[in-house]
Amino acid sequence: MPRSYSFIVVVALLLVAAGARDARAQHLPDLVTTDVLRVCSDPGNMPFSQRKGDGFENRIAQIVADELKVKLRYYWLTQGPGFVRNTLGTGLCDLIIGTSGGEVVQATNPYYRSAYAVVTRKGEIDGLKGLDDPRLKDKKIGSIAGTPPFARLTELGLAGERLTPYPPYLFGEDRKHQTVAASVIADLAEKKIDVAVLWGPAAGWLARQSGVPMEVVPLLNEPGRPALTFRVSMGVRHGEDDWKRKINAVQRKRKDDIEKVLREYDVPLLVEEENKLLEPSADAKTP
């Protein structure tokens, strides 16, 4: 996971400021660098982000910077436990492009909603719509341990020898693939597993990059618990309400541009309140 850094003084100042904000948030300025957009991101987490800047979160960060008319600057750190605490929480950056909120991070308005998806090799399980499909009972399934679909698969009795659990994070310099999701899709392409169940925004792009024709089906018909659909927001520090409102305004103004980027990366997009796919707007359609 992310290595520790000696930012004791900075952390202490942030904690004091955070405590003060609880009582008089309206009267304290946001602790945000205004002449540059400082974004914390993972340097190797495609399709979301990469040091070369070719992930969809990188491109969305550039949209935000362009709208704010400032330069974009990154602080890179590998995703995992402590990522938010050691980046946004220590004041190294002012924005995280993909989050759902939490103890350290305050979520902006969501800018997209997506779902976990089931991925198969094209033509092998036609018409698959849900994890309760009886044809899955004799298939080897791969999913990341601890994720909501893993719990659902266990609930359906698909655990045991049929379910291959992948670790939530990769460690070490000798890992074969950039992310765990990429490892799952590679195993699907090599027929080590028959079905992959992954977060849709990762699954769509990775399936297309695999070199093997694949079907990616968002899981829209599963029961409400565990939830398999989620809203994704940008993240700021708690108490920085002016900054949050500014980012919300950018998201509203550049909504079509952001949607276009997401579609270019095969992110399954859902309507706000219903579990059905969002029809592309005229301005967000890919060429």
Side-chain angles (χ1 to χ4, degrees):
M1 283 327 316
R3 56 192 181 278
S4 299
Y5 292 87
S6 300
F7 291 105
I8 298 173
V9 175
V10 176
V11 173
L13 289 171
L14 283 171
L15 290 174
V16 170
R21 282 195 184 95
D22 290 340
R24 48 194 178 86
Q26 311 92 302
H27 307 296
L28 288 177
D30 294 342
L31 301 177
V32 175
T33 302
T34 57
D35 59 346
V36 65
L37 179 63
R38 302 186 305 159
V39 173
C40 282
S41 194
D42 191 317
N45 188 28
M46 286 296 286
F48 302 95
S49 62
Q50 190 162 250
R51 193 180 295 273
K52 292 189 296 184
D54 50 356
F56 70 76
E57 289 185 353
N58 298 130
R59 289 183 55 187
I60 291 169
Q62 189 62 61
I63 289 172
V64 175
D66 290 347
E67 185 61 33
L68 295 174
K69 295 180 174 55
V70 296
K71 291 183 178 180
L72 175 61
R73 181 185 301 160
Y74 281 102
Y75 180 83
W76 300 107
L77 197 62
T78 302
Q79 284 273 9
F83 174 80
V84 174
R85 184 176 63 254
N86 291 325
T87 56
L88 194 71
T90 57
L92 290 171
C93 63
D94 301 311
L95 188 68
I96 294 174
I97 300 300
T99 185
S100 57
E103 183 179 344
V104 179
V105 60
Q106 176 184 197
T108 66
N109 293 341
Y111 67 96
Y112 75 95
R113 181 170 175 256
S114 193
Y116 278 87
V118 59
V119 190
T120 59
R121 292 180 292 273
K122 195 174 184 66
E124 293 193 4
I125 314 179
D126 292 331
L128 181 65
K129 294 183 178 179
L131 297 179
D132 59 354
D133 191 303
R135 291 175 293 175
L136 293 182
K137 292 190 178 298
D138 61 351
K139 303 296 183 184
K140 192 165 185 179
I141 304 170
S143 186
I144 298 174
T147 59
F150 194 89
R152 173 69 175 149
L153 289 163
T154 303
E155 177 186 286
L156 289 168
L158 296 172
E161 294 182 359
R162 290 184 300 273
L163 180 57
T164 301
Y166 289 78
Y169 302 103
L170 292 174
F171 299 92
E173 298 299 325
D174 58 347
R175 60 188 185 183
K176 186 176 180 181
H177 301 284
Q178 192 180 72
T179 64
V180 179
S183 298
V184 180
I185 292 295
D187 284 352
L188 180 62
E190 295 169 12
K191 299 189 176 181
K192 294 178 181 178
I193 58 175
D194 302 307
V195 178
V197 186
L198 296 168
W199 177 227
W205 184 86
L206 290 169
R208 175 155 52 100
Q209 299 296 313
S210 70
V212 174
M214 293 184 180
E215 296 277 2
V216 180
V217 180
L219 291 167
L220 306 180
N221 302 308
E222 303 301 313
R225 292 290 181 270
L228 298 185
T229 64
F230 294 91
R231 294 173 176 84
V232 178
S233 305
M234 298 183 195
V236 302
R237 283 177 288 272
H238 284 290
E240 294 185 337
D241 297 329
D242 289 344
W243 179 230
K244 176 183 174 180
R245 283 190 286 270
K246 183 175 288 189
I247 297 300
N248 283 340
V250 171
Q251 290 177 185
R252 285 192 301 271
K253 185 173 180 180
R254 302 298 295 270
K255 178 178 181 295
D256 289 338
D257 295 325
I258 291 171
E259 182 184 331
K260 184 176 180 180
V261 169
L262 294 170
R263 290 190 182 280
E264 288 174 4
Y265 284 76
D266 295 322
V267 175
L269 298 178
L270 276 58
V271 298
E272 178 59 27
E273 298 296 339
E274 296 180 73
N275 282 0
K276 66 179 184 180
L277 293 174
L278 177 69
E279 293 293 330
S281 64
D283 292 334
K285 289 180 180 178
T286 55

